[in-house]
Each structure stands twice: as structure tokens, then as C-alpha cells.
Amino acid sequence: MSFDDVAAALAKAVQAFLSDNDRACTVLGALQSVDTQARIDACRGLGEIVLDSESRKHAQYSDARIHTPLILKVDAAQKATYGEERFGPISFVIATENTAHSIELARDVIREKGAITLGGYTTDEAVAEQFEELAMEVATPLSLNLDGGIFVNQSAAFSDFHATGGNPAANASLCNQSFVASRFVVVQSRRHGQPN
């Protein structure tokens, strides 16, 4: 599939999943702050809109601020755009040269800004190993090929080590390990179990 085809398929899948308003309101939850709502509006000009954010009305909580994701298409050269945290339902699909380029961009951004978690998806075992090497190098928990009921940001459900304490975005973890040795950090890599 081409980059544009992947971006369109992603947008179509998200749109289909959120097409039922009650399900969307349950899955999305509410935005706590009007600042987050304003950030969605401000980010619309940062790239080509693949899927625009829409407000939704909750059947029981009519004043809740609920918004579907904004998905933007950007080029790898726009690092200042996707390299900043845009808190809220805001995502970027980034056009890169190839898988190696994507991994290198992830390495650069995480080294500079840090990351609480990293998600990787591949059918190639060599690429999976590259993701694991990247995660250890930049001290970021990796969720590899996780989907369904297990999501990228649920590291804390598997361990007290949510965030590693080893990169700029996660300079502490829920479990302080300094009683052992303050120079160690924990990086985990998770995959679905293989049937016997």
C-alpha cells in the first residue's frame, strides 16, 4: 500500500469505529480542559487533514466535551510539528523514506524529547529486533504488535514501571529503583504470546 492509502485506511477505520455515537462517547471519554479543545482547533493547520475531529454529545452528560481524533498527514521534514507533544486526540501520520528512516526519526525524537511509551508494528522479525534495540537504546517501554484489548500505553497494567526514568519525558517512574542502584532503568518489550 502507498503512504496515502495507509493514511486513508487508518482514517476510514477510525471513522467506522466511532460511527456509533454511544460507542464513541464511551471509548473517547471527555476532554478535561477547554485548552485541549482549543489545541485541536489550532493543530488543524499543521498538516493535511486525513480525518477531522468532530464534537460528540453524550446521552447522559450533555455538557461533556467529547471530540473524535484529528489525524494529520505530515512529511518527515516537519519534525517541529510532530516532535512536540500535542496533548489531546491529535495524531500525525508521517511520510518517511522507508522503515529504517522511520526508526531513525523515532530515535531522534525520543532522544531529544523523550517518550513514555513506544508502539511498533511489523511482520518482519528483523524489524521487530530493531524496534527492541531502539527501545533499549532510548530507554522507552516498547509494545510490539499489540492490538485488541491491549494497548500501547498500558504498561502500568503489566508492571509498576510505567515510564522508565531513563529519558527526557520519563525522568522518574512509578517505582523508584534508587534503593538498588540509581544508574539502572527498566525497559520492557511486550508482545502477544505465541500459541504452543
Side-chain angles (χ1 to χ4, degrees), residues 5-119:
D5 289 343
V6 170
L10 179 63
K12 183 178 179 181
V14 171
Q15 192 169 35
F17 182 68
L18 301 176
S19 61
D20 178 86
N21 189 66
D22 290 342
R23 178 175 57 209
C25 289
T26 300
V27 170
L28 295 170
L31 304 180
Q32 181 275 332
S33 173
V34 293
D35 292 344
T36 305
Q37 186 174 339
R39 191 174 302 109
I40 295 168
D41 294 334
C43 286
R44 282 191 171 97
L46 294 177
E48 181 183 333
I49 296 174
V50 179
L51 182 64
D52 204 358
S53 178
E54 304 171 345
S55 64
R56 295 294 176 91
K57 287 291 182 193
H58 196 286
Q60 291 178 289
Y61 307 101
S62 59
D63 291 335
R65 283 183 297 273
I66 300 173
H67 287 265
T68 62
L70 171 66
I71 302 176
L72 300 166
K73 196 164 45 170
V74 297
D75 187 79
Q78 295 173 263
K79 189 174 170 185
T81 297
Y82 63 80
E84 292 292 325
E85 180 181 28
R86 310 286 182 181
F87 190 77
I90 302 162
S91 298
F92 297 95
V93 183
I94 305 164
T96 62
E97 296 169 13
N98 51 38
T99 301
H101 186 214
S102 297
I103 291 172
E104 190 56 38
L105 283 178
R107 179 179 287 110
D108 291 347
V109 170
I110 295 170
R111 275 189 184 143
E112 183 180 338
K113 302 291 185 173
I116 297 295
T117 188
L118 172 66

Side-chain angles (χ1 to χ4, degrees), residues 99-187:
T99 301
H101 186 214
S102 297
I103 291 172
E104 190 56 38
L105 283 178
R107 179 179 287 110
D108 291 347
V109 170
I110 295 170
R111 275 189 184 143
E112 183 180 338
K113 302 291 185 173
I116 297 295
T117 188
L118 172 66
Y121 297 87
T122 183
T123 56
D124 185 329
E125 186 58 32
V127 173
E129 290 174 11
Q130 291 171 28
F131 276 126
E132 288 182 335
E133 290 170 14
L134 166 64
M136 287 185 243
E137 182 183 328
V138 296
T140 300
L142 172 66
S143 296
L144 191 59
N145 294 331
L146 296 186
D147 57 14
I150 302 174
F151 303 106
V152 171
N153 64 347
Q154 290 179 324
S155 301
F158 295 89
S159 164
D160 289 334
F161 302 112
H162 179 64
T164 63
N167 69 64
N171 57 11
S173 72
L174 296 179
C175 180
N176 187 334
Q177 305 162 57
S178 62
F179 67 93
V180 177
S182 61
R183 68 182 183 271
F184 292 114
V185 298
V186 174
V187 178

